């Protein structure tokens, strides 16, 4: 628990809150103490001035100190002070406690505050004031007031800490719960349940993290599905030639067939098909991993197209397909690997010849399109349904599943073509109208 994000949030916030409240308490308490001390000094000075005025007035009215004891006792109960009045000779003539009457008193030597009394312009006595604990003051003492204020500050600080603790608990739960949900879902994904997603309710950074997580989970699920499809497709593709090989070998072993030239040729064709499939899978894996070695050179696209198309003229003629070239005299050079781009064009031509019926036409064209050189292979074949067109570059994808073997292809030609074009920084596209033909084109950047 101590390592959880929620606990760390609460602990961090509580440390900040306690330090802040403690600092406020110390600052306010010290300032209140200073203000109270200043107020106490001001009050004491005011009391001196008040008593001095009262005693001077009494002396003036009575022409002496007669009856001053009753005045001192009355004011002592109001002010909460021990009041002593001494005459000019230092003899106590009034004591609010009545303990020192008639005694010599030198309060200054004892550190007690004093003030000189004047009557009719001359020194007539000395006033001494000091706190009297035996007298109940009319108002609370300043010390009691300061203790009361400190107590209220302490209670208020504790209440603030408690309230802050509750709010911190709620807010930290709100912040940490989406992260906890992400951690739980990540654990489920790690255990193989790739269908799990996080509910996105936050619109801030946590919400963006949840969306990124869901996107990652979707990609993982798609990648896993593609992996499963790949394994199933490879197994399916390998099954037919392996079954054929096994059938031929069993027939020879059981002496049903003789290992003559025709049988050996059939075995060789099946083995060649297996070898081609393995080679194409290896090439595709290298291209998808970005580890395909390419030798870039500035090449003439017109020459490349002519050289690649020449071997296909005889195959097209066998099917009575017209193969024509629509090429300009000159095109800007492109920085490519000749062998790999020739392979792209070879795969597109193989696909076009396989899906174009007798008497059809295949046209290879090339042209400059802005900063790109576009090469296209257009046929008048059977075409591709619109719902299948987005998937034609997926591995082992065939539009007509029932004709998987009729075309003789592995189902990887267009996928490899796409990866090779993209490895050159180009793009490939397919357009088709069902029953009227297809147009496959790829574009390569002009050499800078």
């Amino acid at each position: 628990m101590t390592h959880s994000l929620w606990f760390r949030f609460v602990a961090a916030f509580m440390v900040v809150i306690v330090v802040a409240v403690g600092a406020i308490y110390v600052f306010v308490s010290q300032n209140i103490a200073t203000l109270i001390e200043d107020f106490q000094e001001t009050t004491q000075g005011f009391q001196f001035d008040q008593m001095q005025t009262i005693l001077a007035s009494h002396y003036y009215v009575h022409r002496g100190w007669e009856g001053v004891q009753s005045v001192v006792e009355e004011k002592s109960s109001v002010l909460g002070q021990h009041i002593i009045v001494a005459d000019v000779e230092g003899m106590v003539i009034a004591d609010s406690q009545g303990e020192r009457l008639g005694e010599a008193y030198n309060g200054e030597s004892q550190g007690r505050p004093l003030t000189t009394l004047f009557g009719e312009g001359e020194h007539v006595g000395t006033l001494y004031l000091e706190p009297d604990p035996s007298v109940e003051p009319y108002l609370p003492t300043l010390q009691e007031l300061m203790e009361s204020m400190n107590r209220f500050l302490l209670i208020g600080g504790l209440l603030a800490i408690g309230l802050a603790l509750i709010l911190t608990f709620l807010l930290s739960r709100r912040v940490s719960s989406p992260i906890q949900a992400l951690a739980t879902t990540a654990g489920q994904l790690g255990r193989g349940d790739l269908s799990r997603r996080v509910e996105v309710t936050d619109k801030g950074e946590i919400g963006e993290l949840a969306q990124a997580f869901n996107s990652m989970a979707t990609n993982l699920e798609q990648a896993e599905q593609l992996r499963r499809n790949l394994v199933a497709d490879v197994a399916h593709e390998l099954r037919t030639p392996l079954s054929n090989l096994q059938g031929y070998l069993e027939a020879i072993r059981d002496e049903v067939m003789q290992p003559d030239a025709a049988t050996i040729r059939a075995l060789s064709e099946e083995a060649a098909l297996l070898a081609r499939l393995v080679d194409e899978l290896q090439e595709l894996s290298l291209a998808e991993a970005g580890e395909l070695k390419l030798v870039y050179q500035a090449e003439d696209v017109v020459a490349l197209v002519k050289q690649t198309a020449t071997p296909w003229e005889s195959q097209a003629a066998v099917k009575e397909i017209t193969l024509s070239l629509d090429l300009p005299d000159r095109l800007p050079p492109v920085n490519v690997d000749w062998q790999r781009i020739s392979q792209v064009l070879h795969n597109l031509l193989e696909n076009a010849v396989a899906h174009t019926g007798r008497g059809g036409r295949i046209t290879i064209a090339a042209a400059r399109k802005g900063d790109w050189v576009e090469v296209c292979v257009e046929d008048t074949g059977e075409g591709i349904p619109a719902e299948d067109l987005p998937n034609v570059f997926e591995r082992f994808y065939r539009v007509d599943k029932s004709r998987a073997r009729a075309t003789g292809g592995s189902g990887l030609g267009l996928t490899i073509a796409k990866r090779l074009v993209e490895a050159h920084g180009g793009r490939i596209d397919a357009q088709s109208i069902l029953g009227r033909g297809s147009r496959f084109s790829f574009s390569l950047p002009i050499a800078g």
Side-chain angles (χ1 to χ4, degrees):
M1 178 181 176
T2 57
H3 298 290
S4 67
L5 181 63
W6 170 81
F7 180 82
R8 293 179 181 181
F9 266 127
V10 173
F13 279 124
M14 284 309 303
V15 169
V16 173
I17 291 167
V18 169
V19 170
V21 172
I24 292 173
Y25 174 81
V26 172
F27 177 78
V28 173
S29 178
Q30 289 182 348
N31 278 273
I32 288 176
T34 303
L35 290 173
I36 288 178
E37 289 177 1
D38 294 342
F39 179 74
Q40 191 171 13
E41 292 178 0
T42 303
T43 302
Q44 193 174 54
F46 174 76
Q47 289 176 345
F48 269 115
D49 294 341
Q50 184 184 28
M51 284 303 303
Q52 184 179 18
T53 301
I54 292 172
L55 293 174
S57 177
H58 179 87
Y59 185 88
Y60 176 78
V61 171
H62 294 87
R63 301 291 179 180
W65 294 117
E66 183 180 355
V68 72
Q69 178 65 26
S70 60
V71 174
V72 168
E73 291 176 354
E74 178 185 355
K75 293 300 180 182
S76 175
S77 62
V78 175
L79 300 177
Q81 297 281 341
H82 181 197
I83 304 174
I84 296 176
V85 179
D87 60 15
V88 294
E89 296 177 355
M91 300 298 294
V92 176
I93 56 177
D95 184 354
S96 61
Q97 296 181 354
E99 297 175 351
R100 294 186 174 86
L101 290 172
E103 298 179 0
Y105 185 73
N106 185 8
E108 186 176 7
S109 66
Q110 301 175 31
R112 292 179 172 84
L114 58 88
T115 184
T116 302
L117 300 174
F118 292 90
E120 296 182 344
E122 61 176 328
H123 177 212
V124 295
T126 306
L127 169 65
Y128 300 91
L129 288 179
E130 62 182 13
D132 188 354
S134 65
V135 177
E136 186 70 28
Y138 178 72
L139 296 174
T141 63
L142 294 177
Q143 182 64 29
E144 291 175 344
L145 180 62
M146 186 170 67
E147 291 176 355
S148 177
M149 295 182 71
N150 285 335
R151 185 166 55 253
F152 283 127
L153 278 174
L154 181 60
I155 294 173
L158 293 175
L159 289 175
I161 291 175
L163 181 61
L165 178 60
I166 295 173
L167 292 176
T168 300
F169 177 83
L170 296 175
L171 292 175
S172 61
R173 276 292 184 188
R174 182 178 177 84
V175 172
S176 63
S177 57
I179 299 177
Q180 182 61 41
L182 280 170
T184 302
T185 306
Q188 294 170 338
L189 287 175
R191 290 189 291 272
D193 187 0
L194 300 180
S195 63
R196 293 292 181 178
R197 299 293 184 273
V198 179
E199 184 179 356
V200 181
T201 57
D202 192 282
K203 296 183 179 179
E205 290 82 355
I206 299 296
E208 293 177 359
L209 177 62
Q211 290 178 347
F213 181 88
N214 288 341
S215 177
M216 178 197 70
T218 301
N219 292 335
L220 285 175
E221 187 175 24
Q222 293 174 348
E224 177 63 16
Q225 186 61 44
L226 289 174
R227 185 190 67 81
R228 292 176 180 175
N229 293 341
L230 175 62
V231 172
D233 291 338
V234 169
H236 174 74
E237 293 296 326
L238 292 176
R239 185 180 295 113
T240 300
L242 285 175
S243 297
N244 292 339
L245 284 172
Q246 185 177 10
Y248 278 120
L249 292 174
E250 288 178 353
I252 293 173
R253 182 192 61 190
D254 297 336
E255 298 182 353
V256 176
M257 295 181 62
Q258 295 298 320
D260 52 17
T263 304
I264 293 174
R265 185 169 57 253
L267 290 172
S268 178
E269 289 177 355
E270 295 297 336
L273 181 59
L274 281 174
R276 178 185 176 187
L277 179 60
V278 172
D279 290 342
E280 288 184 345
L281 284 171
Q282 183 180 18
E283 189 172 35
L284 181 60
S285 65
L286 290 174
E288 290 180 339
E291 297 178 357
L292 197 63
K293 294 181 179 180
L294 300 175
V295 180
Y296 292 100
Q297 289 182 350
E299 302 289 357
D300 182 4
V301 174
V302 174
L304 186 149
V305 170
K306 289 180 179 179
Q307 183 172 331
T308 306
T310 299
W312 284 95
E313 293 177 352
S314 58
Q315 297 187 43
V318 171
K319 292 186 65 175
E320 299 178 3
I321 297 173
T322 302
L323 180 61
S324 62
L325 303 180
D326 183 9
L327 303 173
D329 294 334
R330 185 177 182 83
L331 283 174
V334 291
N335 196 29
V336 296
D337 184 315
W338 176 288
Q339 181 180 356
R340 296 302 183 182
I341 296 303
S342 178
Q343 183 181 358
V344 171
L345 186 57
H346 169 85
N347 290 353
L348 295 182
L349 284 170
E350 181 181 30
N351 182 74
V353 170
H355 294 283
T356 302
R358 291 186 178 277
R361 173 180 291 275
I362 298 175
T363 303
I364 307 173
R368 176 172 182 171
K369 298 293 181 68
D371 294 332
W372 302 80
V373 171
E374 182 187 70
V375 179
C376 70
V377 177
E378 187 172 1
D379 63 64
T380 59
E382 59 200 35
I384 304 171
E387 62 271 16
D388 291 316
L389 196 58
N391 302 314
V392 294
F393 292 107
E394 297 296 330
R395 59 171 69 93
F396 297 117
Y397 189 86
R398 289 189 175 89
V399 175
D400 187 354
K401 308 300 186 295
S402 64
R403 300 180 70 242
R405 280 287 144 205
T407 61
S410 65
L412 295 174
L414 293 179
T415 307
I416 292 174
K418 183 175 186 293
R419 297 293 183 267
L420 290 176
V421 170
E422 291 176 347
H424 284 80
R427 51 180 181 257
I428 192 168
D429 184 48
Q431 299 172 348
S432 183
I433 299 176
L434 187 62
R436 297 181 58 181
S438 304
R439 181 181 188 273
F440 287 84
S441 62
F442 64 90
S443 300
L444 300 169
I446 294 174

